[in-house]
Amino acid sequence: MSSNNSNTENNDNSLVIFVNGKKVIDNDVDPELSLLSYLRRKLRLTGSKLGCGEGGCGACTVMLSRYDHRQKKILHYSANACFTPICAVHGMAVTTVEGVGTSNKLHPIQERLAKAHGLQCGFCTPGIVMSMYALLRNNPQPTARRIEESLVGNLCRCTGYRPIIEGLNTFTENGCCGNPSACKKFEGDEDMICGLFTPSDFTPYDPSQEPIFPPELQLNEELQSTSVRFVGKSMTWIRPVTLKELLQLKAEIPDAKLVVGNAELKFELMGKDTGHHTLISPLQIPELSCINVNDDSMTFGSSVTLTSMGEALRKQVEELPRLNGQVYSSLLDMFEMFGDVQLRNMSGIGSHIMTASPLSDLIPLLMAAGSTVTIASLQGGSRTVALDTNFITGYRKTCLKPDEVLVSVTVPKTKENEYFSGYKVKNQAHRRDYTVAMVNAGCKVEFEHGSNVVKDMVLSFGGTGPSIVVVPKITDKSKGRKWDENLLKDILQMLRDDVPLSAQGGMIEYRRALLQSYFFKFYTKVQSELLGKQTPSLADTDNSALSTIQKEVTTGTQLFQATPADQPANDPIGRPVGNLSNIQIVTGEAVFCEDIPPIPDELHLALVLSRRAHAKIISVDTSAATSLDGVHCYVGQADVPGTNSWPPQDPTDNEKELFASKKVLHFGQIIGGIVAESPEIAHKAAKMVKVVYEDLKPVLTIKEAIACQSLYDPPMCLEEGSPGEEFGKSDHVIEGEFYIGAQSHFYMETQACLVRPQELDEMLIIASAQDFFDLQKHAAEVLGISYNKVTVKTRRLGGGFGGKEGSAAIVAAVCAVAARKAGKPVRIMLERDKDMQVVGTRHTAMAKYKVGCSKDGHLKAMELELYLNAGCTKGISMFMMIQALSSQHNVYKIPAYKVCARMCKTNIACCQAMRGAGTPQAHAIIDSIMDNVARKCQITPEKVREMNFYKEGDLDNFCQEMPDISNMYRCWNECMQRSNYYQRREEVEAFNRTNRWKKRGLAIIPLKRIVGFQLRFLNQGSALVHIYTDGSVLLTHGGVEMGQGLHTKTVQIASRVLCIPPERIHINETSTDKIPNASTTSASSGTDLNGNAVRVACEILMERLEPFMKQNPNGSWNDWVQAAYFNRVSLSASGYFCNSVGLDLENIRNGNKGQYYFSYGVGCSEVEIDCLTGEHQLKRTDIVMDAGTSLNPALDIGQIEGGFVQGYGYFVTEELRYSKKGELLTRGPGMYRIPGVSDIPSQFNVTLLKGAPCKDGIFSAKGLGEPPLHLAVSVLLAIKDAITYARDDHGLSGHFEFNSPATSERIRLACTDDFTDKNQTSEETEEEFFVRP
């Protein structure tokens, strides 16, 4: 493209880049734009997605290529386009997913991901393609480990990663996908098939066929060797090419920021929308980009990227004697835990040092190693200073003067008699925000020659306070002393007494334990090194402190039942058919809401959100915001033509408003919005709206709500027998309290909506939503128009998980009001941090329980009080409470019980349904109780579970029959067998006997969960099927495709009924003008309701065609269709399906049916934990699942794996924390840790139970969207099992409460030892900084 706009005279240069091989020249580039915004909005390349905006999810990954004229080589590397300034790629080649392959000509990466079923919603897929593409361009035959490492920066919320890895592993040297079943025939039942694809079917990869690097960039050095300057309205971008020029610029503009990578700077500039910023890119300055290897050190220019630095360090480690390379190998180990490949490819070592972050992963190591830095200025020349506490002068401050720049850093080699290590907790979120403080360490000791007498020691720590600390007292007190246990004890005491920990970030007890654990690890390592020099021996069990937990490369098997031998070849039911849109998804051609091309006069909406959790609104001043150029208007409560109460149809729960006008009930509640010409202007103006509040006291947690009786009515109780009498007869009575935290949906595509006003007051709403009927009626009520004037449609969602039901309606209603006021189309896509504030989470739960049992483990009675944190309005929490009660017993028969549940009213966003909808909390509670019973009775947990299973003929706690409960027994027995449970239990115990500081745990749990809606009116589905005269079929139904494969399964169903190949059937979108009043797509009901409606419609059409088929039995499908048309027989039919399912909420135990059927499954997981740090690794998971007769094994296994990994996140890694003022602190991937590719089981085996047809399911199949998530409780309990062994070593017996999620903090503190015994900080003290709701 080329432009000649009026601002050209402000720019010294034109931007020149090559995008997918095409030259782009921009004479008026805006330096404020990111590369992603430029690609999507200016070039309309929408394959790259905006998932987080902070470089943490990888959805925006592209490949950057440049010719290094100094090295004479082409460099390819992956980068996050959302974080990369557009000006930073001047003179480079950019490759997006559109440039890799198209639907007409797939690249082998795209083909293999599609055929290996390595996608579901597909929003993350283009980024995954690009990460792998960049890897292959550098290494055409990477190792399996290298493939997994390259994907660490790419998050996926749907698949569970296994199929992605398995498909891409076919690029390894031996082409092995990592699935043993693909390499040999399954030794077992001949009716079972192993593996979902055949690697030999893939097109071979030929690197020589890749596009060539643009010759102009290789031959013309001018683009890289010439200084450039780009000037925008509020930012100037300068790229000098000599050190002298750089120093001159800093002398002239001392507040200019040097940029390499932009990671920290983007956070620094967030919210600073006034003034003019100058950024300087030093990437082309030779002195700042070189690496020099000296006799005793290595010097890195400050612009050297962490990737380049790592490559140079690795080369030195391979060449140097092991002891001399300790500093370098420790830095390499830290690099592996530092961000991700995309971040390291773009971030410079100098930028990292200059942030002076107290949370830096690298600065503590560089300090401990005795590194130095070279600094220069135009007036002062060059000087060298030590990288120590004098260099970092305060919170994110250094000793550099405003006109000085960091030129290089020199890192010494490890000398003789020196030992060095660095430490960090791996299982933590990427830490890019000041609100989290986690300790890391650099440790160095030097001994007198030939002895174990300390000559010098440096311990450097990050995460203790506002800056990196070195403890001089430890250095002084250690000199001249022997390296022995007396020194160890003294240093541990000094770490407790002399290293103050700031309250910022909380977790004080954990951080203090880490200080001591790190030094103990270092002491143990050095002691082991000294053993060869006749020092005192090291206890064998302490050796486990030396190693870190490593994940093995991912392998796994998938087993499913073969289709009957007599099934027609063109009948797709029961076959692993790929997602209908898989080709469009892998090529980036699939269109999501924000990908829809804009139309003329389209405007953008940004929300004005509450900055208080509970307050009266005194005034809202929009004058400054609306006076900004490009702002169209402010929209708020006064602009609502209909009702502003929310939800509009529920007068009993109307304290919340669509636009808060009198009071805000949670931090992040919508007060108004700014409508502007661009999203940047809208966001900038939204921050300028001034709201005056009168603060009210917020209630945030369940305990606070109980204390002040902030509870919703009605409570609900279930009671059977006389628990009090049974407690008296019990041999053991166990009491406790169990807490399980909330979970964010974290769909990859945030809330998005596009509203286009039409004639006659009509509104067209294209939205990323699960519940179109809900959205349609709410938008109509807000606009004051009838439902028939609002049309809602979409083709696909980038994930939902329940978060795009009611919350999507709120966003769409606000956008509709804005469009009505502006009279123009308006679109909105929430930023990730805003999305997480506006949208409520899964419900936090707390249970107070009392359980009685016999000494042999049989349950006698249970009393349980369950509390759910509902948030600021009741919403759907009543139904979540019912769901929880329905699953509170899981598969266990409890003769006498009283279970009561309450909903807590608090000042957090109204909690939403999320995958599982109330039942995961119940399952975690009851299975944790079962483990406590086993511990109390000193019986193995699996035996306690088995003896308390429901028996055939039993009714569950809702008085419902379980006709196929035998399937649960079959799943249990098969999982015990396939997991080799008893043998592995022996192996776990043997490992734990010989390892004090590493422990393994093993757990197996069963599952019984309802499928379907318990509210009768929701159990209906509709479909519309058209047959055209060319024989093609157009299918429409009321369900929404969001990655679960609903469209694919409904096409399979239609294919079977119509007896035509699925290729002749098409689905284009879901729309309310085709299917009215559709039920929400959730509760694992999509296929049962919509699939049956499709079946009914197709059966009607087949009945109409039957006479013509009989008249012409040898005719073709087209012949019969033509005959029907010419005989004026309708070739369009609507299908409607409903069932008799539904609970009587007035008497839920009256024996009525509250589910379509029960889903059963069993999961067995093994973990290894580091007792000193709380890190863990999921070693293996085996799942056996009852899918009925699977409609599509590929999709069902994908749902099992994805659901399990999402459940693993819920029960283990994902923790939501709020400030005491009610602000959600854990927003975005930098703070909120959903599972990544390195978190999944190293061995991941899934089996679909054979021969288990479901009489109530469509074609005997069962829905599987939600149930598999619950099986991740096995990981929580496996971790608890491992902790139990650690506590036994410390002399602690009996049951203990282990709350969820099982974060590194909780694991470490539960592994009580001498270190934690001496730390006295309580959990209440920690909560002075944040609260867990």
Side-chain angles (χ1 to χ4, degrees), residues 1131-1321:
L1131 293 173
S1132 176
S1134 61
Y1136 179 77
F1137 172 80
C1138 64
N1139 56 36
S1140 60
V1141 173
L1143 285 178
D1144 178 0
L1145 298 184
E1146 299 299 322
N1147 183 12
I1148 60 175
R1149 305 186 70 207
N1150 67 357
N1152 55 10
K1153 190 174 181 181
Q1155 79 294 321
Y1156 307 163
Y1157 41 78
F1158 288 107
S1159 179
Y1160 304 101
V1162 175
C1164 177
S1165 294
E1166 180 182 352
V1167 301
E1168 182 175 332
I1169 67 171
D1170 186 324
C1171 303
L1172 291 169
T1173 64
E1175 296 170 277
H1176 76 277
Q1177 185 62 57
L1178 180 50
K1179 294 179 65 64
R1180 176 174 170 176
T1181 291
D1182 295 85
I1183 293 174
V1184 178
M1185 198 77 199
D1186 172 18
T1189 301
S1190 174
L1191 290 176
N1192 187 322
L1195 297 181
D1196 287 342
I1197 290 174
Q1199 288 293 290
I1200 293 168
E1201 293 171 334
F1204 175 86
V1205 171
Q1206 193 173 94
Y1208 164 78
Y1210 177 41
F1211 296 118
V1212 181
T1213 70
E1214 299 177 37
E1215 184 172 44
L1216 289 163
R1217 298 176 183 144
Y1218 294 75
S1219 73
K1220 294 292 284 186
K1221 295 182 179 180
E1223 179 181 8
L1224 178 63
L1225 300 176
T1226 46
R1227 306 193 299 266
M1231 297 294 295
Y1232 184 72
R1233 187 172 180 273
I1234 73 169
V1237 70
S1238 59
D1239 294 306
I1240 69 169
S1242 297
Q1243 187 175 348
F1244 202 173
N1245 305 317
V1246 176
T1247 301
L1248 300 184
L1249 188 68
K1250 173 190 172 184
C1254 174
K1255 67 181 181 64
D1256 294 315
I1258 176 75
F1259 293 141
S1260 302
K1262 289 186 176 183
L1264 285 177
E1266 296 179 298
L1269 180 142
H1270 304 66
L1271 296 178
V1273 173
S1274 64
V1275 186
L1276 174 68
L1277 297 182
I1279 290 173
K1280 184 179 180 182
D1281 184 50
I1283 294 170
T1284 299
Y1285 287 101
R1287 293 170 67 90
D1288 287 344
D1289 284 354
H1290 196 59
L1292 295 175
S1293 59
H1295 85 272
F1296 64 97
E1297 299 299 343
F1298 185 61
N1299 292 330
S1300 176
T1303 59
S1304 298
E1305 175 196 10
R1306 282 201 170 106
I1307 295 172
R1308 175 65 189 94
L1309 296 182
C1311 292
T1312 305
D1313 50 40
D1314 290 339
F1315 306 135
T1316 58
D1317 284 348
K1318 295 181 173 66
N1319 298 331
Q1320 301 299 319
T1321 306

Side-chain angles (χ1 to χ4, degrees), residues 599-790:
I599 61 176
D601 295 328
E602 188 173 279
L603 300 173
H604 298 265
L605 174 67
L607 301 180
V608 176
L609 303 179
S610 166
R611 299 294 300 170
R612 300 291 191 277
H614 194 200
K616 294 180 181 179
I617 297 176
I618 304 302
S619 65
V620 179
D621 182 358
T622 66
S623 57
T626 53
S627 64
L628 194 67
D629 287 345
V631 171
H632 190 280
C633 65
Y634 171 83
V635 60
Q637 178 267 339
D639 302 304
V640 178
T643 177
N644 189 49
S645 62
W646 195 267
Q649 294 88 0
D650 187 357
T652 66
D653 188 22
N654 60 0
E655 187 177 6
K656 185 176 179 180
E657 300 173 293
L658 177 64
F659 294 101
S661 62
K662 300 174 182 178
K663 184 191 292 186
V664 292
L665 304 178
H666 71 89
F667 203 106
Q669 184 174 349
I670 299 172
I671 295 174
I674 292 290
V675 181
E677 294 174 357
S678 73
E680 289 82 8
I681 295 174
H683 290 305
K684 184 176 183 177
K687 294 173 184 176
M688 298 169 68
V689 175
K690 297 178 181 178
V691 182
V692 177
Y693 304 92
E694 179 185 323
D695 288 331
L696 302 172
K697 182 176 175 57
V699 175
L700 301 176
T701 70
I702 289 176
K703 289 186 177 181
E704 290 173 354
I706 294 172
C708 65
Q709 287 297 289
S710 180
L711 304 169
Y712 292 109
D713 288 325
M716 184 170 287
C717 288
L718 295 178
E719 190 168 0
E720 180 75 27
S722 177
E725 292 182 8
E726 294 301 322
F727 287 138
K729 300 175 184 177
S730 299
D731 297 316
H732 302 296
V733 176
I734 306 167
E735 296 185 64
E737 185 176 290
F738 182 76
Y739 168 93
I740 180 166
Q743 184 181 26
S744 172
H745 302 83
F746 211 98
Y747 27 69
M748 297 307 297
E749 176 199 29
T750 59
Q751 300 282 347
C753 181
L754 170 59
V755 179
R756 292 175 175 171
Q758 312 285 302
E759 61 181 312
L760 300 175
D761 289 332
E762 296 175 0
M763 282 287 180
L764 171 63
I765 301 177
I766 304 171
S768 183
Q770 294 176 241
D771 190 344
F772 277 19
F773 180 39
D774 185 66
L775 190 156
Q776 178 192 35
K777 65 184 180 182
H778 287 353
E781 294 281 352
V782 167
L783 294 174
I785 59 179
S786 57
Y787 296 178
N788 62 355
K789 291 190 175 183
V790 177

Side-chain angles (χ1 to χ4, degrees), residues 324-339:
N324 294 116
Q326 290 179 75
V327 171
Y328 300 159
S329 60
S330 295
L331 283 169
L332 280 174
D333 290 341
M334 193 61 67
F335 280 174
E336 292 183 3
M337 297 182 282
F338 183 93

Side-chain angles (χ1 to χ4, degrees), residues 146-168:
R146 187 69 187 90
I147 290 173
E148 292 194 25
E149 289 172 354
S150 72
L151 298 177
V152 167
N154 294 87
L155 297 179
C156 174
R157 196 57 155 166
C158 298
T159 64
Y161 299 100
R162 192 279 312 162
I164 297 172
I165 297 169
E166 192 170 297
L168 297 182

